[in-house]
Amino acid sequence: YKLNSSEHISNPSAFPNPTEIAYIEEPTVNATIMTPQEYVGAVMTLCQERRGTYVKSEYPSQNRVMLYYRLPLAEILLDFFDKLKSQTRGYASFDYELGEYERSDLVKVDILLNSDPVDALSFIVNRQFAYTRGRAMVEQLRKVVPRQQYEVRIQAAIGSKIIAADSVKPFRKNVIAKCYGGDVTRKRKLLEK
């Protein structure tokens, strides 16, 4: 990367070395949420959990509130609308338009299988959520990766720092498979060994 140049990154595999980054900006959206007044607290909590910045609120009618928030685009893509609907029992409406880019503390989280990075599983996330999302990904992979004849290590890392790790245990070797009948002490001796 050239000095004083900017790059548009849309894939974690193209993420540059952290020592070459002066700052990172991410796209934001200007969100408008209309909700009954009784659910305002739940909606504001949800927006703050998603790194939202409160802009203003309006009261178009006695029981309705319009909340204006600036939210990072990455935070609303996955399940924001579903959570909003569930916390307001389906009464909230959500509209947004793309806003400007804002500086953010983003990091690339690599997923390693037996110390080898898997590019398809890497993701870019805000530093404050890196551990939580890395841990969740490791736990999910532990359920999906099949057992092998050897131990499979699953790790989430930021650069060279491991932030979450787990492993898929190997199959146990059947040492008494060759014993047929005979004395039980022979089997016990093999199992203890």
Side-chain angles (χ1 to χ4, degrees):
Y1 295 96
K2 299 177 190 105
L3 195 61
N4 297 327
S5 70
S6 64
E7 292 287 327
H8 180 81
I9 306 294
S10 58
N11 190 340
S13 63
F15 202 75
N17 188 338
T19 58
E20 300 171 355
I21 299 172
Y23 62 90
I24 301 172
E25 292 180 334
E26 68 177 327
T28 61
V29 296
N30 297 318
T32 306
I33 302 166
M34 183 175 267
T35 182
Q37 194 164 2
E38 60 194 271
Y39 301 115
V40 169
V43 171
M44 291 180 93
T45 302
L46 175 66
C47 289
Q48 287 169 352
E49 286 172 358
R50 299 301 177 99
R51 299 186 292 135
T53 306
Y54 174 78
V55 178
K56 65 178 181 174
S57 56
E58 293 176 356
Y59 296 85
S61 67
Q62 186 176 355
N63 194 30
R64 304 290 285 172
V65 179
M66 287 180 69
L67 296 168
Y68 296 90
Y69 268 89
R70 192 166 46 253
L71 293 154
L73 178 62
E75 295 293 335
I76 67 164
L77 288 178
L78 211 53
D79 62 347
F80 181 80
F81 189 67
D82 295 335
K83 289 247 167 103
L84 180 67
K85 285 292 189 182
S86 69
Q87 292 197 355
T88 60
R89 297 186 185 169
Y91 286 112
S93 64
F94 175 65
D95 186 33
Y96 70 91
E97 59 185 32
L98 285 175
E100 299 185 9
Y101 281 76
E102 288 187 3
R103 287 191 182 194
S104 185
D105 187 16
L106 300 177
V107 292
K108 177 185 172 188
V109 177
D110 288 310
I111 301 297
L112 311 163
L113 292 177
N114 281 343
S115 302
D116 294 328
V118 180
D119 280 341
L121 298 176
S122 297
F123 55 93
I124 298 171
V125 67
N126 189 278
R127 189 179 299 274
Q128 71 185 40
F129 300 123
Y131 173 75
T132 310
R133 298 207 180 144
R135 178 90 235 143
M137 178 68 98
V138 166
E139 287 175 6
Q140 198 64 33
L141 280 172
R142 187 175 183 274
K143 296 174 190 171
V144 175
V145 173
R147 288 177 75 182
Q148 307 289 327
Q149 294 294 331
Y150 51 88
E151 182 180 44
V152 178
R153 297 279 306 149
I154 305 167
Q155 299 169 318
I158 298 173
S160 61
K161 181 183 177 191
I162 305 296
I163 58 170
D166 210 335
S167 64
V168 177
K169 300 292 180 209
F171 288 119
R172 250 183 69 190
K173 184 179 175 187
N174 189 0
V175 293
I176 60 170
K178 60 186 175 209
C179 293
Y180 180 75
D183 190 17
V184 75
T185 55
R186 206 168 121 223
K187 287 182 184 176
R188 194 176 300 121
K189 182 180 167 187
L190 281 169
L191 284 171
E192 285 171 5
K193 185 177 167 186

